[in-house]
């Protein structure tokens, strides 16, 4: 059996504990340096650069005329996907849509702040957004579902998906099915840093957008950071990460089963089992070979790399309180609470983007359509932001309206503060100068 990383927090120093907080994308300097010429090539060469990078990076047979998915490709996709997969996509999209419809803010609200003075908010869709759907380590129609549905619910008028092409120049058929069912019919075949550059600057084929959302590799994250002054990079969603918190009420084999869920995404993922029960930790270690025996060779390789590396394994704590502290310090993308009484632990967790409760709610169910969004902030960004939502696809405008009757009181206080802060024009705008114009 591979030598799974085992960390006994009572036996390690502060520096070693701090190292457990690192993710694969913590230091992006190398990716950012290499992404600069890719971005510049797309900016200056457009489609020609995308075709070249598709050949060099994706080994894809593609020319400029095929960068955009055709209606015929969409139509053909439905014949290529098994009916049970289509049914699962429809089931997930239905739940995701219901959840995000409940989440959608009302178009406008106004409240009377003082008699005759009103203030509120108005929400309007962002005009153009691109959804990034990764492809490098598999096919992810679920990401299409999670990004497209809230964007459609929000009413974004210009929506497109970018996703890396396969070697034959195609797009994953289930991704096309999910996009059409969700309501998105524009898909471009490009990925990585070059895709972010394409939608930031636009090319002959690809329309530029105001915002890009969706998870991606360190190349995608690096490009988003570099282009943050050109396009809104959305929430920071990088390689997958998860913590499985298990108390002593569950079997460690169940914890090991769920530990592998996010670990199998790729060698750049992060995954920890955190428990204060040595029994659970030992049962988990003993169960891993049986679980690996049921997985494909590629996914075994990915998850083994994670669980034997610096960003994964088993963390044994001295107490459940220490488990809480570790999780809140880590601020995971996915947190699963494996306990027969998960709500006993929930109140102690303040830093996690997604919290899935109990032995019947594995990350798999969250990823594939329980309803809440599974595009989540990574690299400790859960400390300041949450899951992708309808509000990521709308912008808020403040609304104010003061009647003639309410104006004098507001003007008097505004004059006082304007004078104090030294803004003479502010002061004059609510003085007797204004009154002369208002009486006409």
């Amino acid at each position: 059996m591979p030598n799974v990383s085992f960390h006994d927090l009572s036996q390690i120093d502060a520096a070693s504990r701090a190292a457990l907080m690192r993710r694969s994308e913590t230091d992006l300097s190398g990716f950012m340096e290499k992404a600069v010429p890719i971005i510049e090539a797309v900016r200056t060469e457009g489609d020609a650069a995308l075709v070249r990078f598709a050949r060099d990076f994706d080994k894809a047979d593609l020319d400029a005329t095929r960068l955009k998915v055709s209606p015929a490709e969409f139509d053909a996709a439905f014949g290529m996907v098994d009916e049970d997969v289509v049914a699962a996509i429809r089931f997930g999209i239905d739940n995701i849509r219901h959840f995000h419809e409940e989440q959608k803010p009302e178009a406008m609200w106004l409240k009377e702040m003082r008699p005759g003075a009103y203030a509120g908010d108005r929400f309007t869709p962002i005009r153009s957004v691109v959804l990034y759907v990764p492809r490098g380590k598999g096919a992810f129609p679920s990401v299409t579902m999670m990004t497209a549905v809230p964007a459609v619910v929000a009413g974004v008028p210009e929506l497109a998906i970018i996703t890396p092409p396969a070697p034959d120049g195609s797009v994953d058929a289930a991704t096309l099915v999910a996009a059409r069912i969700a309501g998105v019919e524009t898909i471009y075949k490009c990925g990585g840093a070059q895709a972010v550059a394409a939608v930031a600057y636009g090319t002959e084929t690809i329309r530029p957008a105001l915002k890009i959302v969706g998870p991606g590799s360190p190349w995608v994250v690096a490009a988003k950071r570099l282009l943050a002054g050109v396009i809104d990079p959305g929430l920071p969603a990088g390689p997958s990460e998860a913590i499985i918190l298990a108390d002593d009420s569950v079997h460690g084999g169940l914890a090991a089963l769920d530990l592998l869920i996010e670990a199998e995404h790729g060698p750049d993922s992060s995954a920890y089992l955190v428990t204060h029960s040595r029994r659970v930790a030992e049962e988990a270690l003993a169960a891993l070979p049986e679980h690996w025996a049921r997985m494909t060779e590629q996914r075994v390789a990915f998850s083994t790399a994670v669980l034997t590396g610096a960003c994964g394994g088993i963390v044994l704590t001295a107490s459940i309180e220490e488990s809480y502290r570790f999780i809140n310090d880590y601020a995971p993308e996915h947190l699963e609470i494996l306990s027969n009484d998960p709500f006993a632990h929930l109140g102690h967790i303040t830093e996690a983007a997604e919290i899935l409760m109990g032995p019947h709610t594995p990350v798999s169910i969250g990823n594939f359509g329980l309803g809440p969004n599974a595009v989540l902030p990574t690299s400790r960004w859960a400390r300041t932001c949450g899951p992708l939502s309808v509000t990521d696809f709308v912008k808020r405008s403040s609304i104010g309206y003061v009647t003639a009757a309410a104006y004098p009181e507001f003007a008097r206080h505004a004059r006082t503060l304007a004078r104090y802060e030294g803004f003479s024009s502010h002061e004059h705008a609510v003085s007797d100068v204004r009154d002369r114009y208002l009486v006409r």
Side-chain angles (χ1 to χ4, degrees):
M1 175 177 147
N3 188 23
V4 173
S5 300
F6 190 95
H7 312 278
D8 186 337
L9 287 191
S10 67
Q11 303 297 315
I12 64 176
D13 58 21
S16 299
R17 187 183 186 281
L20 297 179
M21 300 292 141
R22 289 181 60 85
R23 275 69 153 185
S24 62
E25 64 178 279
T26 300
D27 182 7
L28 288 171
S29 57
F31 291 99
M32 294 178 77
E33 182 180 354
K34 293 175 183 176
V36 168
I38 295 172
I39 291 169
E40 181 61 16
V42 173
R43 187 185 72 81
T44 57
E45 301 174 44
D47 285 354
L50 296 181
V51 169
R52 185 170 71 253
F53 292 137
R55 182 184 65 244
D56 294 346
F57 300 150
D58 301 310
K59 311 304 178 189
D61 179 17
L62 206 62
D63 60 41
T65 65
R66 297 180 60 210
L67 283 173
K68 184 177 180 180
V69 172
S70 68
E73 289 176 277
F74 269 106
D75 294 340
F78 281 80
M80 300 166 61
V81 180
D82 290 344
E83 279 301 317
D84 59 341
V85 176
V86 176
I89 290 171
R90 291 188 187 278
F91 176 83
I93 285 177
D94 189 48
N95 295 332
I96 297 163
R97 182 176 288 115
H98 285 156
F99 179 88
H100 289 86
E101 284 173 345
E102 291 295 322
Q103 191 182 66
K104 185 178 180 180
E106 57 182 311
M108 187 173 79
W109 63 269
L110 281 174
K111 186 169 261 187
E112 193 171 31
M113 311 307 291
R114 297 260 176 172
Y118 301 85
D121 284 327
R122 185 184 67 161
F123 294 89
T124 54
I126 296 172
R127 177 170 50 81
S128 58
V129 182
V130 163
L131 317 172
Y132 188 89
V133 177
R135 177 76 186 265
K137 303 182 188 75
F140 301 105
S142 59
V143 176
T144 302
M145 295 153 58
M146 291 292 178
T147 54
V149 170
V152 171
V153 169
V156 176
E158 296 178 24
L159 269 177
I161 291 170
I162 48 174
T163 189
D168 63 358
S170 68
V171 167
D172 168 60
T175 294
L176 296 181
V177 168
R180 176 166 279 181
I181 294 172
V184 180
E185 294 275 349
T186 300
I187 297 185
Y188 300 114
K189 304 172 185 178
C190 57
Q194 62 271 26
V196 181
V199 298
Y201 293 116
T203 71
E204 297 90 332
T205 298
I206 297 177
R207 290 172 61 90
L210 297 174
K211 186 170 186 175
I212 178 172
V213 304
S217 68
W219 288 100
V220 173
V221 178
K224 285 181 178 181
R225 291 188 186 177
L226 288 166
L227 290 165
V230 182
I231 186 171
D232 182 338
L235 67 85
S240 301
E241 56 184 58
I243 284 181
I244 308 301
L245 169 64
D247 67 15
D248 55 8
S249 70
V250 298
H251 194 284
L254 183 63
L257 187 68
D258 291 355
L259 179 63
L260 291 168
I261 296 172
E262 292 301 300
E264 74 170 347
H265 269 281
D268 55 358
S269 297
S270 306
Y272 289 111
L273 164 60
V274 177
T275 182
H276 66 291
S277 168
R278 185 171 289 275
R279 172 190 62 79
V280 169
E282 291 174 351
E283 287 175 351
L285 278 172
L288 281 169
E290 175 188 349
H291 299 330
W292 270 320
R294 295 173 176 269
M295 294 166 58
T296 64
E297 183 177 344
Q298 181 191 49
R299 301 301 168 179
V300 170
F302 288 165
S303 57
T304 299
V306 173
L307 297 184
T308 60
C311 295
I314 295 175
V315 175
L316 180 65
T317 64
S319 65
I320 188 64
E321 290 76 20
E322 188 174 44
S323 294
Y324 300 148
R325 286 193 294 273
F326 181 87
I327 291 166
N328 286 329
D329 285 347
Y330 192 88
E333 176 192 22
H334 303 275
L335 172 65
E336 189 179 313
I337 300 179
L338 274 183
S339 169
N340 288 331
D341 185 13
F343 287 92
H345 303 298
L346 180 61
H348 300 276
I349 306 299
T350 58
E351 315 297 329
E354 174 183 69
I355 304 173
L356 299 171
M357 310 280 285
H360 299 97
T361 321
V363 174
S364 307
I365 286 178
N367 280 348
F368 294 132
L370 179 60
N373 210 289
V375 175
L376 306 160
T378 57
S379 289
R380 302 180 89 181
W381 285 106
R383 294 176 297 175
T384 59
C385 59
L388 190 71
S389 73
V390 169
T391 57
D392 288 290
F393 297 97
V394 299
K395 58 195 184 299
R396 182 169 57 90
S397 301
S398 295
I399 304 294
Y401 172 63
V402 176
T403 64
Y407 168 76
E409 181 182 19
F410 280 87
R412 176 166 55 86
H413 291 298
R415 281 196 305 274
T416 299
L417 288 175
R419 190 178 306 119
Y420 179 84
E421 293 188 0
F423 288 111
S424 55
S425 185
H426 280 62
E427 179 183 354
H428 295 155
V430 286
S431 70
D432 57 351
V433 176
R434 187 180 205 86
D435 294 340
R436 293 202 304 268
Y437 294 105
L438 292 175
V439 297
R440 292 188 175 189

